[in-house]
Amino acid sequence: MSDRVTHLIHHPYQPPAGFEAPQPGVFKASTVIFANVAAMRARDWKHKHGYTYGLHGTPTTFQLEERIATLEGGGQCLLVPSGLAALAHVNLSLLASGDEVLVPDNAYGPLKALAQAELARWGITHQKYDPMDPQDLAARLGPRTRLVWLEAPGSVTMEFPPLARLAAACRERGITTALDNTWGAGLAFNGFEGGGADIVVQALTKYPSGGGDVLMGSVVTRDEALHLRLRETHMHMGWGVGANDAEAVLRSLPTLELRYRAQDASARELARWFSARGEAAQVLHPALEGSPGHEHWRELCGPQGLAAGLFSVLFRPDLEPRRVDAFCDALRLFRLGYSWGGPVSLAVPYELSSMRSADLGTGRWRGVLVRFSVGLESRADLQDDLAQALRALA
Ligand SMILES: *Cc1c(COP(=O)(O)O)cnc(C)c1O
């Protein structure tokens, strides 16, 4: 091996064993090298006994999978390129033509869009159910129901459902449940024990990443057979995540709880402050008394329990949408943008009537709502920002 160019590729140097540092290494690979043909033939991608190909995992992604499984209180984890991909993945893995899936009416919007478009096109029907009413869910479960989605609290309107009762109604009939646990982040409650779900999904994009700079999703299970079902489709679909992105999440995990608690404390204080203002018809935050499903949040998360740093303000009906838009435009520290869990506070206005089914209990939602995601800025500065922007409403 005398040619220096070949040497750049086939260098004999081996790093000494025994290097240890707090942060795991970043292992990037499509190709994984086998010692011989027998090793190549023997290696099985289904289990973590060894490495076969970058798409099936590297030390970096295996490490993140193990930590997210532990965070959620589960046994196995799959990583996918976004939170939405995690929702899609569970549907694709478990549903076939002729099956039906049930989705809460206040679910993360793109999950409903997936059901309405692709799932319908593939002959999979869906129904929406009222997440606050276990009887409504139970009445909709039928012989074709294969999967029921759960989410706590609901996206945007933040109603906290009686999660364990919804899951129990499904378990009684042997129907698999999947919980979108992005809000709880594995911290506010245990999705398996408290929530009663079979599959717990999270958008790692939010709190686990914490930087507003990574897109990733996780699918966690406790049942090995269910995991292998999901893993097989994962393999067939070619889902994979980049090692640098996995490392970015691994780097943020040690501060997850600190950030979650800090953002929770700020959000609650700002939500209470907003409740005392005249502009709000209602402030929606599950830890605030009077917010829909507050008692369910208390039951599941505990009276001193945690909550994500999110709240929504439903503005008085006489405050026209264009004035609420002007309020949003006047915000300076709160930036206009989607997602949450990062250091920067964000606001998004929503017109509610288009987001709910008229024939369900949730159809009563009307008006303009602004969803706030509280970042890590000084709480006093954020409150001053809201106060100055509210003058644009006047
Ligand atoms: C953001 C979010 C998702 C999707 O995550 P992405 O990584 O943005 O695709 C799914 N569910 C909930 C509840 C979310 O907030």
Side-chain angles (χ1 to χ4, degrees), residues 82-84 87 108 151 155 180 182 203 205-206 215-216 340:
S82 69
L84 180 54
L87 301 173
Y108 179 68
E151 189 176 334
S155 276
D180 184 334
T182 304
T205 307
K206 309 289 168 57
L215 288 155
M216 203 178 291
W340 34 277

PDB file of all heavy atoms in Angstrom, residues 82-84 87 108 151 155 180 182 203 205-206 215-216 340, ligand 1:
ATOM      1  N   SER A  82     -38.809  12.512  11.021  1.00  0.00           N
ATOM      2  CA  SER A  82     -39.574  13.634  11.588  1.00  0.00           C
ATOM      3  C   SER A  82     -40.664  13.068  12.492  1.00  0.00           C
ATOM      4  O   SER A  82     -40.945  11.862  12.453  1.00  0.00           O
ATOM      5  CB  SER A  82     -40.231  14.481  10.474  1.00  0.00           C
ATOM      6  OG  SER A  82     -41.269  13.752   9.842  1.00  0.00           O
ATOM      7  N   GLY A  83     -41.286  13.944  13.248  1.00  0.00           N
ATOM      8  CA  GLY A  83     -42.417  13.518  14.071  1.00  0.00           C
ATOM      9  C   GLY A  83     -43.564  13.043  13.194  1.00  0.00           C
ATOM     10  O   GLY A  83     -44.229  12.036  13.494  1.00  0.00           O
ATOM     11  N   LEU A  84     -43.797  13.756  12.100  1.00  0.00           N
ATOM     12  CA  LEU A  84     -44.885  13.357  11.197  1.00  0.00           C
ATOM     13  C   LEU A  84     -44.590  11.986  10.582  1.00  0.00           C
ATOM     14  O   LEU A  84     -45.493  11.152  10.426  1.00  0.00           O
ATOM     15  CB  LEU A  84     -45.095  14.428  10.115  1.00  0.00           C
ATOM     16  CG  LEU A  84     -46.194  14.151   9.100  1.00  0.00           C
ATOM     17  CD1 LEU A  84     -47.526  13.861   9.759  1.00  0.00           C
ATOM     18  CD2 LEU A  84     -46.325  15.329   8.127  1.00  0.00           C
ATOM     19  N   LEU A  87     -45.722   9.326  12.932  1.00  0.00           N
ATOM     20  CA  LEU A  87     -47.168   9.092  12.856  1.00  0.00           C
ATOM     21  C   LEU A  87     -47.490   8.269  11.604  1.00  0.00           C
ATOM     22  O   LEU A  87     -48.250   7.293  11.649  1.00  0.00           O
ATOM     23  CB  LEU A  87     -47.925  10.428  12.808  1.00  0.00           C
ATOM     24  CG  LEU A  87     -47.714  11.395  13.991  1.00  0.00           C
ATOM     25  CD1 LEU A  87     -48.388  12.726  13.718  1.00  0.00           C
ATOM     26  CD2 LEU A  87     -48.228  10.795  15.286  1.00  0.00           C
ATOM     27  N   TYR A 108     -53.099  16.441  16.039  1.00  0.00           N
ATOM     28  CA  TYR A 108     -52.134  17.160  15.215  1.00  0.00           C
ATOM     29  C   TYR A 108     -52.630  17.134  13.769  1.00  0.00           C
ATOM     30  O   TYR A 108     -52.861  16.052  13.196  1.00  0.00           O
ATOM     31  CB  TYR A 108     -50.771  16.467  15.368  1.00  0.00           C
ATOM     32  CG  TYR A 108     -49.664  17.063  14.558  1.00  0.00           C
ATOM     33  CD1 TYR A 108     -49.170  18.335  14.849  1.00  0.00           C
ATOM     34  CD2 TYR A 108     -49.091  16.369  13.494  1.00  0.00           C
ATOM     35  CE1 TYR A 108     -48.140  18.892  14.097  1.00  0.00           C
ATOM     36  CE2 TYR A 108     -48.056  16.910  12.746  1.00  0.00           C
ATOM     37  CZ  TYR A 108     -47.593  18.166  13.046  1.00  0.00           C
ATOM     38  OH  TYR A 108     -46.585  18.714  12.303  1.00  0.00           O
ATOM     39  N   GLU A 151     -53.870  11.486  21.841  1.00  0.00           N
ATOM     40  CA  GLU A 151     -52.960  12.639  21.969  1.00  0.00           C
ATOM     41  C   GLU A 151     -53.380  13.424  23.202  1.00  0.00           C
ATOM     42  O   GLU A 151     -54.573  13.610  23.438  1.00  0.00           O
ATOM     43  CB  GLU A 151     -53.047  13.508  20.711  1.00  0.00           C
ATOM     44  CG  GLU A 151     -51.986  14.593  20.650  1.00  0.00           C
ATOM     45  CD  GLU A 151     -52.023  15.396  19.338  1.00  0.00           C
ATOM     46  OE1 GLU A 151     -52.482  14.871  18.302  1.00  0.00           O
ATOM     47  OE2 GLU A 151     -51.608  16.573  19.369  1.00  0.00           O
ATOM     48  N   SER A 155     -53.874  19.140  20.048  1.00  0.00           N
ATOM     49  CA  SER A 155     -53.079  20.200  19.435  1.00  0.00           C
ATOM     50  C   SER A 155     -53.903  21.487  19.393  1.00  0.00           C
ATOM     51  O   SER A 155     -55.088  21.453  19.100  1.00  0.00           O
ATOM     52  CB  SER A 155     -52.665  19.808  18.018  1.00  0.00           C
ATOM     53  OG  SER A 155     -51.499  19.020  18.042  1.00  0.00           O
ATOM     54  N   ASP A 180     -49.519  10.004  20.609  1.00  0.00           N
ATOM     55  CA  ASP A 180     -48.575  11.063  20.246  1.00  0.00           C
ATOM     56  C   ASP A 180     -48.202  11.769  21.549  1.00  0.00           C
ATOM     57  O   ASP A 180     -48.987  12.524  22.106  1.00  0.00           O
ATOM     58  CB  ASP A 180     -49.218  12.025  19.245  1.00  0.00           C
ATOM     59  CG  ASP A 180     -48.242  13.102  18.764  1.00  0.00           C
ATOM     60  OD1 ASP A 180     -47.295  13.427  19.511  1.00  0.00           O
ATOM     61  OD2 ASP A 180     -48.440  13.629  17.655  1.00  0.00           O
ATOM     62  N   THR A 182     -45.714  13.941  22.177  1.00  0.00           N
ATOM     63  CA  THR A 182     -44.785  15.053  21.968  1.00  0.00           C
ATOM     64  C   THR A 182     -44.915  16.094  23.069  1.00  0.00           C
ATOM     65  O   THR A 182     -43.919  16.614  23.574  1.00  0.00           O
ATOM     66  CB  THR A 182     -45.047  15.686  20.582  1.00  0.00           C
ATOM     67  OG1 THR A 182     -44.937  14.654  19.597  1.00  0.00           O
ATOM     68  CG2 THR A 182     -44.070  16.786  20.277  1.00  0.00           C
ATOM     69  N   ALA A 203     -42.391  13.564  18.551  1.00  0.00           N
ATOM     70  CA  ALA A 203     -41.611  14.401  17.640  1.00  0.00           C
ATOM     71  C   ALA A 203     -40.391  14.851  18.445  1.00  0.00           C
ATOM     72  O   ALA A 203     -40.496  15.756  19.266  1.00  0.00           O
ATOM     73  CB  ALA A 203     -42.423  15.598  17.151  1.00  0.00           C
ATOM     74  N   THR A 205     -38.153  16.435  17.389  1.00  0.00           N
ATOM     75  CA  THR A 205     -37.984  17.800  16.892  1.00  0.00           C
ATOM     76  C   THR A 205     -38.235  18.839  17.987  1.00  0.00           C
ATOM     77  O   THR A 205     -37.639  19.918  17.968  1.00  0.00           O
ATOM     78  CB  THR A 205     -39.031  18.023  15.766  1.00  0.00           C
ATOM     79  OG1 THR A 205     -38.894  16.978  14.805  1.00  0.00           O
ATOM     80  CG2 THR A 205     -38.882  19.363  15.094  1.00  0.00           C
ATOM     81  N   LYS A 206     -39.135  18.535  18.913  1.00  0.00           N
ATOM     82  CA  LYS A 206     -39.561  19.534  19.902  1.00  0.00           C
ATOM     83  C   LYS A 206     -38.607  19.533  21.097  1.00  0.00           C
ATOM     84  O   LYS A 206     -37.506  20.001  20.986  1.00  0.00           O
ATOM     85  CB  LYS A 206     -41.016  19.266  20.303  1.00  0.00           C
ATOM     86  CG  LYS A 206     -41.968  19.129  19.095  1.00  0.00           C
ATOM     87  CD  LYS A 206     -42.203  20.449  18.395  1.00  0.00           C
ATOM     88  CE  LYS A 206     -42.888  20.321  17.032  1.00  0.00           C
ATOM     89  NZ  LYS A 206     -44.166  19.656  17.018  1.00  0.00           N
ATOM     90  N   LEU A 215     -34.970  17.786  12.854  1.00  0.00           N
ATOM     91  CA  LEU A 215     -36.258  17.115  12.649  1.00  0.00           C
ATOM     92  C   LEU A 215     -36.053  15.622  12.876  1.00  0.00           C
ATOM     93  O   LEU A 215     -35.165  15.023  12.255  1.00  0.00           O
ATOM     94  CB  LEU A 215     -36.757  17.352  11.226  1.00  0.00           C
ATOM     95  CG  LEU A 215     -37.240  18.773  10.934  1.00  0.00           C
ATOM     96  CD1 LEU A 215     -37.122  19.096   9.461  1.00  0.00           C
ATOM     97  CD2 LEU A 215     -38.664  18.967  11.419  1.00  0.00           C
ATOM     98  N   MET A 216     -36.842  15.036  13.783  1.00  0.00           N
ATOM     99  CA  MET A 216     -36.711  13.588  14.033  1.00  0.00           C
ATOM    100  C   MET A 216     -37.933  13.092  14.789  1.00  0.00           C
ATOM    101  O   MET A 216     -38.590  13.867  15.495  1.00  0.00           O
ATOM    102  CB  MET A 216     -35.446  13.291  14.838  1.00  0.00           C
ATOM    103  CG  MET A 216     -34.949  11.872  14.668  1.00  0.00           C
ATOM    104  SD  MET A 216     -33.436  11.527  15.578  1.00  0.00           S
ATOM    105  CE  MET A 216     -32.262  12.506  14.681  1.00  0.00           C
ATOM    106  N   TRP A 340     -42.168  23.949  18.404  1.00  0.00           N
ATOM    107  CA  TRP A 340     -41.980  24.422  19.770  1.00  0.00           C
ATOM    108  C   TRP A 340     -40.913  23.603  20.467  1.00  0.00           C
ATOM    109  O   TRP A 340     -40.387  22.642  19.900  1.00  0.00           O
ATOM    110  CB  TRP A 340     -43.279  24.411  20.577  1.00  0.00           C
ATOM    111  CG  TRP A 340     -44.288  23.328  20.291  1.00  0.00           C
ATOM    112  CD1 TRP A 340     -45.219  23.356  19.290  1.00  0.00           C
ATOM    113  CD2 TRP A 340     -44.493  22.087  20.990  1.00  0.00           C
ATOM    114  NE1 TRP A 340     -45.993  22.206  19.342  1.00  0.00           N
ATOM    115  CE2 TRP A 340     -45.570  21.418  20.372  1.00  0.00           C
ATOM    116  CE3 TRP A 340     -43.880  21.488  22.092  1.00  0.00           C
ATOM    117  CZ2 TRP A 340     -46.052  20.183  20.804  1.00  0.00           C
ATOM    118  CZ3 TRP A 340     -44.356  20.248  22.529  1.00  0.00           C
ATOM    119  CH2 TRP A 340     -45.432  19.617  21.882  1.00  0.00           C
TER     120      TRP A 340
HETATM  121  C1  LIG B   1     -44.616  18.884  15.797  1.00  0.00           C
HETATM  122  C2  LIG B   1     -45.508  17.774  16.062  1.00  0.00           C
HETATM  123  C3  LIG B   1     -45.494  16.627  15.254  1.00  0.00           C
HETATM  124  C4  LIG B   1     -44.650  16.521  14.011  1.00  0.00           C
HETATM  125  O1  LIG B   1     -43.281  16.682  14.217  1.00  0.00           O
HETATM  126  P1  LIG B   1     -42.353  17.124  13.002  1.00  0.00           P
HETATM  127  O2  LIG B   1     -40.995  16.665  13.433  1.00  0.00           O
HETATM  128  O3  LIG B   1     -42.482  18.596  12.874  1.00  0.00           O
HETATM  129  O4  LIG B   1     -42.813  16.403  11.785  1.00  0.00           O
HETATM  130  C5  LIG B   1     -46.332  15.587  15.596  1.00  0.00           C
HETATM  131  N1  LIG B   1     -47.157  15.670  16.653  1.00  0.00           N
HETATM  132  C6  LIG B   1     -47.191  16.748  17.437  1.00  0.00           C
HETATM  133  C7  LIG B   1     -48.134  16.775  18.601  1.00  0.00           C
HETATM  134  C8  LIG B   1     -46.375  17.839  17.174  1.00  0.00           C
HETATM  135  O5  LIG B   1     -46.441  18.917  17.947  1.00  0.00           O
END
